[in-house]
Amino acid sequence: DQQVKQNSPSLSVQEGRISILNCDYTNSMFDYFLWYKKYPAEGPTFLISISSIKDKNEDGRFTVFLNKSAKHLSLHIVPSQPGDSAVYFCAASANYGQNFVFGPGTRLSVLP
Amino acid sequence: DVKVTQSSRYLVKRTGEKVFLECVQDMDHENMFWYRQDPGLGLRLIYFSYDVKMKEKGDIPEGYSVSREKKERFSLILESASTNQTSMYLCASSFSSGSPGETQYFGPGTRLLVL
């Protein structure tokens, strides 16, 4: 049973609009979350993280929101750019550990 | 810039062959990881290592073994390759700084096809 779920396998957004990628988790011990971005033929690269002591973290066009009671986090990209087209993975760790559980990924396509 | 390199980008092997996948990182990271990525399943942890000669099983270790003789190098071994091990294999490394959830840096991946 997947502990980290990304229920949308794919998402298409117009350039300049907001992209919202969602992630749900089941393990209440998860306390640190990351988003990775992956282009074809490349390894995933770190995008943004959030600790369970926060409910929001912002880095430029990227904002991650955490709702602990709902066990839900989301990544907002504003404004979306064609270069943001990639697969986005949500990952979570427990006890601020070094091991992460990854979701299945959401493929984002930003249309010009 | 952190660099994680993997020995091959593409590999084709026959069922029953012994397969070696090698990963090298140049940032003196203590932690190294092997994942496989399959459609709809995301990245699943096979094995990890927090130090030289140390290894720990991840979520799906069956059919795999690892070796870490030097800090910079982490090898994944498929003792007898099977068709269900056809996958993308990703290596990652990270510092062991004591900070929560230290970022992992990934290599470009090895796409393995077992016939």
Side-chain angles (χ1 to χ4, degrees):
Chain A
D1 195 27
Q2 283 188 340
Q3 297 184 70
V4 178
K5 302 177 186 184
Q6 294 175 258
N7 291 323
S8 298
S10 62
L11 175 69
S12 290
V13 169
Q14 211 67 37
E15 181 179 4
R17 306 292 287 264
I18 184 171
S19 296
I20 301 176
L21 295 94
N22 293 305
C23 178
D24 297 288
Y25 60 95
T26 57
N27 188 342
S28 56
M29 298 300 292
F30 287 151
D31 50 20
Y32 199 79
F33 305 89
L34 292 88
W35 286 93
Y36 279 85
K37 179 166 80 172
K38 185 180 185 300
Y39 292 120
E42 294 182 16
T45 54
F46 169 75
L47 193 57
I48 193 168
S49 64
I50 188 165
S51 162
S52 60
I53 62 173
K54 293 186 172 182
D55 53 21
K56 177 182 171 181
N57 190 24
E58 208 168 339
D59 184 1
R61 295 186 297 114
F62 302 91
T63 304
V64 55
F65 295 92
L66 174 62
N67 182 334
K68 288 187 290 293
S69 60
K71 295 193 181 70
H72 175 84
L73 64 156
S74 60
L75 174 68
H76 292 212
I77 306 173
V78 183
S80 301
Q81 298 173 354
D84 295 329
S85 297
V87 177
Y88 289 79
F89 292 99
C90 172
S93 75
N95 301 317
Y96 293 109
Q98 303 298 323
N99 287 7
F100 286 88
V101 178
F102 284 78
T106 295
R107 182 178 300 278
L108 174 66
S109 299
V110 179
L111 309 172
Chain B
D1 260 4
V2 176
K3 196 160 175 89
V4 180
T5 56
Q6 295 183 229
S7 50
S8 306
R9 295 301 299 268
Y10 301 95
L11 270 182
V12 181
K13 296 290 181 182
R14 296 247 172 234
T15 301
E17 278 192 80
K18 191 168 186 175
V19 182
F20 292 87
L21 302 180
E22 197 162 82
C23 175
V24 178
Q25 50 93 5
D26 67 356
M27 278 301 290
D28 205 32
H29 285 169
E30 292 83 5
N31 305 327
M32 296 190 76
F33 307 83
W34 274 107
Y35 296 89
R36 62 178 282 178
Q37 181 195 356
D38 299 289
L41 296 176
L43 280 68
R44 292 180 292 164
L45 183 63
I46 304 171
Y47 266 97
F48 59 98
S49 169
Y50 289 153
D51 203 349
V52 176
K53 296 197 186 292
M54 176 270 176
K55 59 186 177 186
E56 292 285 346
K57 292 180 180 178
D59 299 319
I60 50 164
E62 296 78 19
Y64 303 94
S65 63
V66 290
S67 171
R68 191 155 180 214
E69 295 297 317
K70 294 185 178 181
K71 190 175 186 181
E72 68 270 19
R73 196 177 298 266
F74 193 35
S75 302
L76 179 69
I77 304 151
L78 286 66
E79 296 290 342
S80 177
S82 63
T83 54
N84 63 12
Q85 292 179 310
T86 291
S87 187
M88 168 72 87
Y89 289 87
L90 290 159
C91 175
S93 69
S94 69
F95 278 117
S96 186
S97 64
S99 299
E102 192 68 51
T103 300
Q104 293 181 15
Y105 296 87
F106 283 85
T110 296
R111 189 168 289 283
L112 173 66
L113 172 62
V114 182
L115 301 173

